[in-house]
Amino acid sequence: AQSVSQHNHHVILSEAASLELGCNYSYGGTVNLFWYVQYPGQHLQLLLKYFSGDPLVKGIKGFEAEFIKSKFSFNLRKPSVQWSDTAEYFCAVNTGGYQKVTFGTGTKLQVIP
Amino acid sequence: SQTIHQWPATLVQPVGSPLSLECTVEGTSNPNLYWYRQAAGRGLQLLFYSVGIGQISSEVPQNLSASRPQDRQFILSSKKLLLSDSGFYLCAWSVRGWDSSYEQYFGPGTRLTVT
């Protein structure tokens, strides 16, 4: 069965600091990888996804993630965070052609002005 | 465009009472439908998913059940609520994308408190 690990549960950063949130998955076959974000009081929404091709994926609001197959990782990065990036971030994996998506436990990011 | 509705937004129910949470999707056909429970520090736990009318897959044994009486309607139920059923319940839908991925779209959620 596939699983997803997010090692950072709560991250506090000052504005303009760089961000990297870790995500590791366990599945040996073809995967689709996602990062979802939940801003305070809002629905969960897709930030970015990887399905094939360039392992460096760019999403909304300046976020990017790199798929490293050899490390089973899909870490989320942003060079300079803003206060508005305060949210909870979830990594998720879906094996190709399978409808189920498995989510990690989430990382709460707090950005201090 | 597609939209997803969940109701009620909040619910307070006594232990032992029944439960019915409803989710409907508009603007798409034959979606996959999902019920998740979101708990602090535990992420999103998949409870049920459905790939078609009357087809329900249960992911974890529990006091809850799900039904899909119509293509775009998904219902989460319980005959007798337990305190441990308290939580935030999310409904989501997906369809197979051109890249074969199943990007999910989430509803606003229902906050259930069992007293």
Side-chain angles (χ1 to χ4, degrees):
Chain A
Q2 56 201 36
S3 66
V4 179
S5 298
Q6 291 182 246
H7 310 296
N8 313 105
H9 298 296
H10 197 177
V11 174
I12 301 174
L13 294 173
S14 299
E15 274 193 315
S18 64
L19 169 73
E20 181 159 3
L21 300 183
C23 173
N24 288 91
Y25 66 94
S26 65
Y27 185 76
T30 303
V31 292
N32 301 129
L33 296 157
F34 308 84
W35 276 97
Y36 285 84
V37 61
Q38 188 171 32
Y39 297 104
Q42 295 189 27
H43 299 198
L44 264 166
Q45 59 185 283
L46 184 71
L47 196 57
L48 50 79
K49 69 175 179 180
Y50 169 82
F51 54 94
S52 67
D54 189 345
L56 185 61
V57 179
K58 295 190 184 300
I60 61 172
K61 303 186 179 185
F63 285 91
E64 65 179 30
E66 185 174 14
F67 170 51
I68 303 179
K69 189 174 182 179
S70 60
K71 294 185 178 180
F72 297 89
S73 69
F74 190 55
N75 292 354
L76 180 70
R77 301 194 294 246
K78 186 170 183 178
S80 176
V81 295
Q82 301 173 314
W83 177 79
S84 58
D85 294 324
T86 295
E88 191 162 14
Y89 294 81
F90 294 90
C91 184
V93 62
N94 151 227
T95 55
Y98 188 49
Q99 296 92 333
K100 232 174 67 170
V101 175
T102 302
F103 284 83
T105 52
T107 298
K108 285 189 177 178
L109 171 65
Q110 184 179 357
V111 180
I112 301 169
Chain B
S1 64
Q2 303 90 351
T3 55
I4 178 169
H5 303 280
Q6 277 187 253
W7 64 90
T10 59
L11 188 61
V12 180
Q13 292 282 95
V15 167
S17 63
L19 173 74
S20 181
L21 302 182
E22 190 165 340
C23 171
T24 58
V25 180
E26 296 176 358
T28 187
S29 297
N30 196 31
N32 301 312
L33 297 172
Y34 307 82
W35 278 111
Y36 290 90
R37 180 163 51 207
Q38 184 178 10
R42 296 180 63 183
L44 275 71
Q45 182 185 32
L46 179 62
L47 302 175
F48 301 94
Y49 71 96
S50 171
V51 300
I53 295 174
Q55 301 179 62
I56 308 294
S57 296
S58 174
E59 288 298 299
V60 292
Q62 59 205 313
N63 185 42
L64 302 168
S65 62
S67 61
R68 185 171 178 172
Q70 300 180 46
D71 181 45
R72 288 170 287 179
Q73 184 184 28
F74 205 24
I75 297 171
L76 184 68
S77 304
S78 174
K79 292 182 179 178
K80 288 186 178 182
L81 282 169
L82 305 172
L83 284 174
S84 57
D85 292 323
S86 293
F88 191 57
Y89 290 85
L90 286 169
C91 181
W93 69 272
S94 74
V95 291
R96 183 171 176 168
W98 63 271
D99 55 8
S100 297
S101 71
Y102 288 90
E103 177 182 335
Q104 303 213 329
Y105 300 89
F106 288 86
T110 295
R111 174 75 60 190
L112 171 66
T113 303
V114 182
T115 60

